[in-house]
Amino acid sequence: MMHVEHVQAQKLFSIGDLAEEHSISPRTIRFYEDQGLIAPSRIGGARIYTARDRARLKLILRGKRLGFSLADIKELLDLYDTDRSQVTQLQATLKKGRQRIADLEQQLRDLTVTLEELREIEGDVLHLLGSKGTTDKN
Amino acid sequence: MMHVEHVQAQKLFSIGDLAEEHSISPRTIRFYEDQGLIAPSRIGGARIYTARDRARLKLILRGKRLGFSLADIKELLDLYDTDRSQVTQLQATLKKGRQRIADLEQQLRDLTVTLEELREIEGDVLHLLGSKGTTDKN
DNA sequence: AAGGTAGTTGACGTATACGTAATCCGCTCT
DNA sequence: AGAGCGGATTACGTATACGTCAACTACCTT
């Protein structure tokens, strides 16, 4: 942690903090910044991350776990950031958001089917191992 | 379709058939074969795909939609192909299968959360658009 | 026989997502 | 003062997943 704990309560993080917390490299975080996914403020040259920046990073990583490209994730983040006063913007957001929802619903179906199949295999394998005299709980 | 419809009932496919059906290029299918994900038989030099090969391709593409790498997908396919007579193999399959299940369950949680957030945004946007006098069903 | 269509194997090119130095501050600690 | 640490930029390297020719073959169709 940065040496600011008792200075302010606003919880700030260094790039190293976030890297370690999420088991990624600082290089990765800088790359995300290069791609416009996150924009920390600076103190001198050093990047300084607020709790909001950290939440954004978590969103990025969740997107990655879902198999999104960084470009996809950028669009996703833009949905959260939409200017709520511009009707045209809102309409674009709605359209993109609905497309993303449809994609995720497809992914949900794929996921469900795959999980079912894997669980079936697990059952089969357990049954086979049992009938072969193995008593293994591993 | 290949010109075999009335010759036999076993449904065979050319690489072009499968490519078109799944909106991918023949090059992609050949690449999957290079990576050991699929192994069609040959007639002369030409690849010939059975219904089983086609099902395998569908599994590959489903894996891709879930964001798996081709290496991951190969392991997944290996789970289906496990030799049911080798206890050691079965135990390895069980272990890998359970790991995969755990990963997918994490993905399921990520997916659920993301869907919830997007639907909430959709609701917000709809409400905002409504209060701004727009009556749009698009 | 000639042309068109679909397939084959290389081989090289490319976008994405970082890894890996190399080199250079700025700060703290002894 | 000097060493060490964390962070910065710049630049080149790399694995994955194909795209894109090129050059050739086999099979119809006209």
Side-chain angles (χ1 to χ4, degrees), chain A residues 62 65 80 87 90 98 100 104-105 107-108 110-111 113-114 117-119 122 125 132 138, chain B residues 62 65 80 87 90 98 100 104-105 107-108 110-111 113-114 117-119 122 125 132 138:
Chain A
R62 201 174 69 200
R65 286 198 300 275
Y80 291 87
V87 173
L90 286 175
R98 283 178 169 174
R100 185 109 316 172
L104 287 176
E105 282 170 344
Q107 194 168 342
L108 185 55
D110 287 334
L111 196 53
V113 173
T114 305
E117 290 176 358
L118 284 179
R119 283 173 177 148
E122 189 193 4
V125 169
K132 282 180 184 300
N138 212 0
Chain B
R62 200 175 68 198
R65 286 197 301 274
Y80 290 88
V87 174
L90 288 176
R98 283 178 169 175
R100 185 111 315 180
L104 288 176
E105 283 170 343
Q107 194 168 343
L108 185 55
D110 287 335
L111 195 53
V113 172
T114 305
E117 289 176 0
L118 284 179
R119 284 172 175 148
E122 189 192 3
V125 169
K132 283 180 184 298
N138 212 359

Side-chain angles (χ1 to χ4, degrees), chain A residues 5-106:
Chain A
E5 309 101 32
H6 51 85
V7 177
Q8 352 194 30
Q10 309 167 30
K11 288 172 199 160
L12 300 179
F13 310 89
S14 73
I15 195 169
D17 294 338
L18 293 189
E20 195 181 359
E21 179 185 0
H22 300 96
S23 304
I24 58 181
S25 72
R27 172 74 177 90
T28 298
I29 300 182
R30 287 190 202 104
F31 183 73
Y32 293 162
E33 182 175 345
D34 258 36
Q35 305 304 304
L37 298 184
I38 194 169
S41 35
R42 303 279 184 134
I43 288 187
R47 293 168 174 81
I48 194 80
Y49 299 83
T50 67
R52 232 185 154 287
D53 293 326
R54 178 165 163 269
R56 232 180 137 80
L57 179 59
K58 284 179 184 295
L59 278 180
I60 295 171
L61 297 177
R62 201 174 69 200
K64 290 227 68 188
R65 286 198 300 275
L66 289 175
F68 291 4
S69 73
L70 295 187
D72 287 340
I73 293 174
K74 188 169 163 55
E75 272 204 52
L76 226 177
L77 290 171
D78 288 347
L79 294 184
Y80 291 87
D81 294 343
T82 307
D83 181 350
R84 314 256 148 182
S85 66
Q86 307 278 340
V87 173
T88 332
Q89 269 247 35
L90 286 175
Q91 284 167 340
T93 297
L94 186 58
K95 191 171 175 186
K96 286 183 185 177
R98 283 178 169 174
Q99 181 57 54
R100 185 109 316 172
I101 287 174
D103 291 348
L104 287 176
E105 282 170 344
Q106 173 60 49

Side-chain angles (χ1 to χ4, degrees), chain B residues 81-100:
Chain B
D81 294 343
T82 307
D83 180 350
R84 314 255 149 183
S85 66
Q86 307 278 339
V87 174
T88 331
Q89 267 247 36
L90 288 176
Q91 285 168 340
T93 298
L94 186 59
K95 191 171 174 184
K96 286 183 184 176
R98 283 178 169 175
Q99 180 56 56
R100 185 111 315 180

